[in-house]
Amino acid sequence: MKSLLVYLKDYKKESVLGPLFKLLEASFELLVPLVMASIIDKGIANGDRGYVVSMCLVMIALGVIGLACSLTAQFFAAKAAVGFSTKLRHALFQHIQSLSFTEMDTVGTSTLITRMTSDINQVQSGVNLVLRLFLRSPFIVFGAMVMAFTIDVKAALIFVITIPLLSIVVFGIMLWTIPLYRKVQASLDRVLGITRENLTGARVIRAFGKEKEETERFCQSNQNLTTIQMYVGKISGVMNPVTYVIINAAIVALIWTGALQVDAGNITQGEVIALVNYMSQILVELVKLANLIITVTKAVACANRIESVMKMKSSLEFNSKETPCREENGHKAEEMIIDKNDDRSEKMAVEFRNVSLRYQNAGDDSLRNLNLKVKRGQTIGVIGGTGSGKTSLVHLIPRFYDVTEGAVLVDGRDVRSYSLEELREKVGMVMQKAVLFRGTIRDNLAWGKKDATEQEMYRALEIAQALEIVRGKKDGLDFMVEQGGKNLSGGQKQRLTIARALVKSPEILILDDSASALDFATDAKLRHAIRDMEGDTTVFIVSQRTSSLQHADQIVVLDDGEAVGIGTHEQLLKTCPVYQEIYYSQFGDEEKRQLG
């Protein structure tokens, strides 16, 4: 929690003035019972109407001044709280952007969304209430006790007993509920996670008729959340009746003691009324303080959850300059700057050296002992069964993940020696799932290259076989794409994402099963256009179709994380059983007989 307070540093003035004006308001409020006592003892007792009217005007003045102070305090507190949450939200979003895929996989999208929205809103409410009430409520509680001592010491002893009792109740319940509120937020995360899964996978759920099971799963998680919230609510709900019982018992004792003191002539009737008013003020403020503590408890729990994300460091460390070698993941990395005289790295655009990869918390390696050399301008196909490690292989090139053992080299340098910008500038990546953002087609293409000209965009669209999409739209490049590309078909989205990657003319182009929604004719045109591109672009194509890969310079066949075959289409058909099985399952026994 403490580390987050740094985002309040630009609001020091508001953080001081807010509580200060609240204390001023409280000071005027503490004067009201004394004015009331004066009205009763002097004005009403003596029948002096003029005095009563003048004192009533004083009370009105105190109320107006108190209102002005309260509004001013409210303004400063709100400004500080909103500004704090805005800065914190920006910082959290920026930090999340710096995390690697490993942390994203570990924490989960729904959890990060909860931290960005619900948790920060709760912290904002906590900061607002603290600035307004954290000093005011204790000030009035102890101020009322002090004022009671100025009236009558014997009666004031009731305050001395009452305030500690109330404090025990309030703070005891607070300590009880703090860990429970953490459980509430964790349960809320689970509900949000299930909700997100059901919304994003609605079509799959309906296709398999799983509505009933998913409804039951959601109801179970929601019921768990409801149960723990009701339990915490019951504990918190005990606070108000217990505090009211204590306060009202104190008021009864106060009236009894006051009556005896009045009979003895030690205090006046107006002073008894003032003492009762002070006790009522204590009641109101302690109820406010109790609610404040509940809100602050939630805010602290949420702040700790936000802080845990802020303290999370990316497992990938990018260098600002070249370094010769270093320790990485418990294994000594390969030389990051490869000697130009080393024949192994000569003209190699990408090289995998004894690469193994194990995802965090995984039980086994996803890739094992992979060796591969790729010359500049070559086209590499990657094929294998589901879960064989195809995507894992290509994700190592832009360094979405770090190798567990071995090294991945780009242009003869270990990818761990590159800065983030330098490495990603070399690579154009098209993911398995085509993702487009809300905005025009032009805006989406500009993600590949910020200052891309229309000529460069049209060239990329032509290669990606997406030119007809733009020409078929009335607004052309200014056609508005909805969030996620909902107003485009699957094939259109895939072609536009390929065009986005091609706009910057990358040295290495990775197509991760990004043509799965295309028909065979369009897929063939796309491959030919990519092969005929200007420059020596190295292309990695991940596909389930052997027809998409058979013209590649090399094809890597993966099976359970191991490269069981590397070679051309013809070579693999003769030597690799896994490739043969995939190929013949797609082209049938007739093709097998024709090939002998």
Side-chain angles (χ1 to χ4, degrees):
M1 176 66 184
K2 291 181 180 178
S3 64
L4 302 184
L5 295 178
V6 67
Y7 301 105
L8 262 177
K9 67 179 182 180
D10 292 334
Y11 299 94
K12 292 177 181 176
K13 180 183 72 175
E14 289 81 0
S15 300
V16 172
L17 291 177
L20 179 62
F21 276 97
K22 271 295 178 182
L23 291 180
L24 286 174
E25 179 205 357
S27 300
F28 291 122
E29 191 171 325
L30 288 173
L31 295 175
V32 171
L34 295 181
V35 176
M36 281 289 296
S38 181
I39 291 174
I40 294 170
D41 292 337
K42 295 180 182 180
I44 297 176
N46 299 326
D48 189 347
R49 292 186 178 181
Y51 185 82
V52 171
V53 171
S54 63
M55 287 296 102
C56 286
L57 292 175
V58 170
M59 287 183 65
I60 292 171
L62 290 173
V64 171
I65 296 171
L67 176 62
C69 290
S70 177
L71 292 176
T72 306
Q74 200 89 326
F75 169 77
F76 285 124
K79 184 178 179 181
V82 172
F84 164 78
S85 64
T86 300
K87 286 182 176 292
L88 178 57
R89 194 176 284 111
H90 278 301
L92 181 59
F93 185 79
Q94 187 174 4
H95 180 70
I96 290 172
Q97 293 291 343
S98 71
L99 298 177
S100 69
F101 280 21
T102 299
E103 285 73 47
M104 295 288 191
D105 297 340
T106 304
V107 178
T109 307
S110 60
T111 299
L112 293 175
I113 291 173
T114 304
R115 302 292 184 273
M116 284 285 298
T117 52
S118 174
D119 285 351
I120 289 184
N121 288 340
Q122 192 71 53
V123 173
Q124 177 183 323
S125 298
V127 171
N128 195 344
L129 286 177
V130 164
L131 292 178
R132 285 164 45 202
L133 299 176
F134 189 70
L135 291 180
R136 181 189 189 279
S137 293
F139 180 80
I140 286 188
V141 169
F142 291 104
M145 184 174 67
V146 171
M147 297 300 284
F149 270 103
T150 63
I151 295 173
D152 183 66
V153 174
K154 190 174 181 180
L157 291 176
I158 297 172
F159 288 77
V160 176
I161 297 170
T162 304
I163 291 173
L165 281 176
L166 290 170
S167 300
I168 290 171
V169 171
V170 170
F171 289 100
I173 290 176
M174 178 191 72
L175 293 173
W176 193 358
T177 55
I178 283 176
L180 294 176
Y181 279 121
R182 293 196 189 103
K183 291 183 180 180
V184 168
Q185 291 300 125
S187 297
L188 179 61
D189 278 351
R190 285 191 288 273
V191 171
L192 289 174
I194 293 172
T195 304
R196 182 177 179 275
E197 286 177 5
N198 278 268
L199 290 175
T200 55
R203 295 185 180 183
V204 177
I205 292 168
R206 291 177 182 176
F208 286 89
K210 294 290 184 180
E211 294 94 336
K212 185 177 179 181
E213 288 88 341
E214 289 301 314
T215 301
E216 289 175 355
R217 188 161 75 102
F218 176 82
C219 288
Q220 181 63 43
S221 295
N222 197 34
Q223 184 59 45
N224 291 339
L225 174 61
T226 304
T227 301
I228 191 170
Q229 279 185 321
M230 288 178 66
Y231 180 62
V232 178
K234 287 176 182 177
I235 296 172
S236 300
V238 170
M239 187 179 294
N240 279 359
V242 172
T243 52
Y244 273 104
V245 167
I246 294 172
I247 285 290
N248 283 293
I251 289 175
V252 170
L254 194 60
I255 293 173
W256 178 273
T257 304
L260 295 177
Q261 292 292 82
V262 169
D263 282 343
N266 295 328
I267 60 175
T268 64
Q269 293 176 350
E271 288 173 334
V272 173
I273 297 297
L275 289 170
V276 171
N277 280 338
Y278 281 129
M279 188 61 76
S280 298
Q281 284 183 351
I282 289 175
L283 170 62
V284 172
E285 292 306 319
L286 281 173
V287 170
K288 286 182 182 178
L289 187 60
N291 292 327
L292 169 65
I293 289 171
I294 292 172
T295 303
V296 170
T297 301
K298 292 180 181 178
V300 170
C302 292
N304 289 335
R305 285 148 50 87
I306 295 169
E307 191 175 35
S308 67
V309 176
M310 296 290 280
K311 287 181 177 179
M312 190 177 292
K313 293 184 179 179
S314 175
S315 57
L316 303 182
E317 294 182 3
F318 287 88
N319 295 330
S320 56
K321 58 182 179 180
E322 297 179 4
T323 53
C325 62
R326 61 174 172 156
E327 296 290 329
E328 183 83 22
N329 295 327
H331 303 277
K332 188 171 181 180
E334 297 279 347
E335 285 292 321
M336 293 191 176
I337 313 280
I338 305 301
D339 190 340
K340 291 183 180 179
N341 296 322
D342 188 349
D343 293 336
R344 295 181 302 173
S345 63
E346 186 179 359
K347 295 183 181 179
M348 293 299 166
V350 179
E351 185 176 354
F352 291 80
R353 292 185 182 174
N354 301 317
V355 167
S356 294
L357 171 66
R358 178 176 296 189
Y359 291 109
Q360 190 169 341
N361 301 324
D364 198 5
D365 291 340
S366 297
L367 292 173
R368 287 185 295 276
N369 302 323
L370 179 66
N371 288 280
L372 177 66
K373 295 181 180 180
V374 181
K375 294 181 180 178
R376 191 180 303 279
Q378 282 191 327
T379 298
I380 306 299
V382 184
I383 197 169
T386 302
S388 59
K390 303 184 296 295
T391 296
S392 298
L393 185 150
V394 294
H395 277 186
L396 294 175
I397 300 171
R399 204 185 167 198
F400 291 154
Y401 297 92
D402 263 340
V403 296
T404 310
E405 294 180 0
V408 178
L409 280 63
V410 171
D411 288 339
R413 283 175 56 189
D414 192 306
V415 292
R416 288 169 289 191
S417 72
Y418 283 95
S419 67
L420 175 64
E421 296 77 13
E422 187 183 6
L423 178 60
R424 301 285 166 84
E425 188 62 31
K426 290 177 175 287
V427 181
M429 184 84 188
V430 185
M431 300 285 196
Q432 278 181 319
K433 182 180 179 182
V435 176
L436 295 171
F437 297 92
R438 179 175 175 79
T440 63
I441 293 177
R442 187 192 306 275
D443 294 335
N444 276 274
L445 294 179
W447 277 66
K449 185 179 180 182
K450 193 180 237 182
D451 56 348
T453 62
E454 281 201 7
Q455 183 179 357
E456 289 173 322
M457 289 184 180
Y458 278 113
R459 180 185 64 82
L461 289 166
E462 184 178 2
I463 296 172
Q465 309 303 305
L467 203 55
E468 64 184 62
I469 300 173
V470 176
R471 288 176 176 170
K473 305 297 181 185
K474 181 180 177 181
D475 299 324
L477 286 173
D478 294 317
F479 172 76
M480 183 59 68
V481 179
E482 292 183 9
Q483 183 180 354
K486 292 178 182 176
N487 55 340
L488 297 171
S489 68
Q492 288 175 329
K493 287 192 286 186
Q494 284 192 335
R495 283 179 282 170
L496 286 175
T497 53
I498 294 171
R500 181 174 61 196
L502 289 169
V503 163
K504 67 175 183 179
S505 301
E507 296 178 19
I508 301 169
L509 177 64
I510 300 173
L511 305 177
D512 185 5
D513 205 13
S514 54
S516 57
L518 304 184
D519 57 76
F520 284 97
T522 306
D523 185 19
K525 290 179 183 177
L526 172 64
R527 284 185 282 108
H528 285 116
I530 291 174
R531 193 162 59 244
D532 295 337
M533 283 191 307
E534 296 179 1
D536 293 330
T537 303
T538 306
V539 182
F540 285 79
I541 302 176
V542 177
S543 180
Q544 300 284 3
R545 299 176 182 172
T546 53
S547 60
S548 299
L549 307 177
Q550 60 186 0
H551 299 294
D553 298 301
Q554 291 187 80
I555 300 173
V556 180
V557 184
L558 295 176
D559 185 34
D560 195 22
E562 294 184 354
V564 294
I566 298 177
T568 62
H569 170 72
E570 292 76 14
Q571 292 171 339
L572 293 172
L573 271 181
K574 295 177 181 178
T575 61
C576 184
V578 175
Y579 188 77
Q580 291 170 359
E581 182 181 352
I582 296 171
Y583 180 77
Y584 294 136
S585 68
Q586 295 175 5
F587 288 93
D589 294 334
E590 183 63 30
E591 180 72 17
K592 184 175 181 180
R593 285 194 294 271
Q594 289 178 6
L595 292 173

